[in-house]
Amino acid sequence: EILATMADVPATDAATAAAVAAAEAGRLLASYVARDDKKSTERVESLRVVTILLSNICDTPSSAKFRRINASNAKISRAVLTPPGGEALLGACGFRRDGENIELPLSVTDDEASARAKACLQALDAACEQEGVPLMLSALHPHVHGARACCFVPNDGLQASAPSSCLIVAGALDNVVRAWTTWPRSEEPGYVLEGHEGARGVNGVIAVCSLGGGRIATGGRDGKVLVWQLSSASETRVVATHVGHGDGCGAAVSNAQVISSLACGSDGTLFSGGWDQTARRWGDGGGVLGDGGVFGAAVLALCVLTDGA
């Protein structure tokens, strides 16, 4: 029924009507995905596929291939048409049945289609948050250049407008770190942190880590580990700068200064790994970790065990 009627909603009410129609559909789909059983993987796939279909329309509403969905396709049938709420979300966007296809009619303009798809994604975000599926938020926040690292940071009252939200922090190849609130979904980052720079012909922030207390650490290809204190967007500042990768141990490696991983201990101690094949501890008692220092390959990932080991 939704598929048969939503495409005829007046343009002026498109986004509002889509949000109203999508709210219930989003709740049904989010509730379905949140179930913990042997079909959890299939449920997550349903959310992923629906999100992709709506995001395609939101970003490229003029594309004919995105405005037509083959309803007879086994994957579409299994991931979108079978789960509760899946097909209804498409209907809220303006899609309707046309034989074996589900199509977005030409009567729905590109601007209308994009607005409806955005409203559907926002409704799905809200439903996922309410149903306890925060990691399934459809927001894929854009970077000018590709994102290379991300982490979650407890809000700690940093964003008064979203006290229950946490922050998504991401570093990218443009040497910039950006942070968004997870809920309500924010189109623009609440924080834009610029402190890293290009070095030896390479760019990028490729490691980020939450340190607690509104602090984050970022590691770049410039060889710097920067510790930021987040407060208001205008008052955020670098409170510590650590350098050392590529000096001494592992210095012969090409671009040995690159920071490739970060981790934080339960006591707030910061650790880093680099292309120089070393892992290091920063702060009191800091230095190169491991017997002899060099691991024999770039240290691309770090974690600190709960017992502090």
Side-chain angles (χ1 to χ4, degrees):
E1 181 178 352
I2 292 178
L3 284 175
T5 60
M6 279 302 299
D8 300 320
V9 173
T12 55
D13 297 327
T16 300
V20 171
E24 177 61 16
R27 185 192 66 78
L28 289 173
L29 183 58
S31 178
Y32 169 80
V33 175
R35 298 177 193 172
D36 185 12
D37 57 25
K38 294 181 179 180
K39 294 186 177 181
S40 294
T41 301
E42 293 181 17
R43 300 183 194 284
V44 171
E45 178 67 5
S46 294
L47 184 57
R48 188 186 72 84
V49 174
V50 170
T51 296
I52 289 174
L53 295 176
L54 291 172
S55 296
N56 286 341
I57 294 297
C58 186
D59 297 336
T60 317
S62 62
S63 174
K65 70 176 181 179
F66 293 153
R67 295 176 73 106
R68 174 178 294 177
I69 300 169
N70 183 1
S72 63
N73 178 278
K75 182 175 182 179
I76 293 295
S77 177
R78 181 174 60 254
V80 180
L81 306 183
T82 301
E87 187 170 358
L89 270 172
L90 296 181
C93 185
F95 283 90
R96 62 185 179 190
R97 289 272 189 172
D98 184 6
E100 292 188 351
N101 295 319
I102 298 176
E103 297 188 358
L104 194 57
L106 293 177
S107 59
V108 180
T109 68
D110 292 348
D111 288 344
E112 293 169 31
S114 182
R116 293 183 184 188
K118 181 178 179 180
C120 288
L121 287 170
Q122 290 173 335
L124 187 55
D125 283 351
C128 286
E129 178 80 5
Q130 186 172 5
E131 294 293 331
V133 197
L135 295 182
M136 300 305 161
L137 295 174
S138 67
L140 301 176
H141 299 296
H143 265 291
V144 176
H145 298 282
R148 286 297 181 268
C150 67
C151 71
F152 281 89
V153 178
N155 192 337
D156 291 337
L158 298 174
Q159 295 282 346
S161 61
S164 64
S165 176
C166 62
L167 299 176
I168 299 174
V169 178
L173 293 181
D174 58 357
N175 295 318
V176 178
V177 179
R178 298 172 176 85
W180 297 262
T181 56
T182 57
W183 183 252
R185 175 181 173 178
S186 57
E187 297 294 334
E188 298 297 328
Y191 298 92
V192 178
L193 311 179
E194 298 179 285
H196 291 279
E197 56 193 357
R200 301 183 186 179
V202 295
N203 292 278
V205 178
I206 56 177
V208 295
C209 176
S210 173
L211 303 178
R215 293 183 306 140
I216 63 169
T218 61
R221 287 177 170 168
D222 56 1
K224 297 178 183 177
V225 176
L226 302 181
V227 178
W228 306 80
Q229 179 65 58
L230 303 180
S231 51
S232 68
S234 61
E235 296 177 355
T236 293
R237 66 191 188 281
V238 174
V239 295
T241 300
H242 303 298
V243 293
H245 281 278
D247 296 340
C249 294
V253 178
S254 178
N255 284 314
Q257 82 284 350
V258 173
I259 311 299
S260 50
S261 55
L262 294 169
C264 178
S266 58
D267 61 353
T269 300
L270 176 61
F271 300 86
S272 64
W275 284 11
D276 64 352
Q277 306 178 7
T278 71
R280 303 178 184 233
R281 177 193 291 113
W282 302 101
D284 294 340
V288 177
L289 302 179
D291 185 16
V294 178
F295 284 86
V299 181
L300 301 180
L302 289 173
C303 73
V304 180
L305 302 182
T306 54
D307 63 358

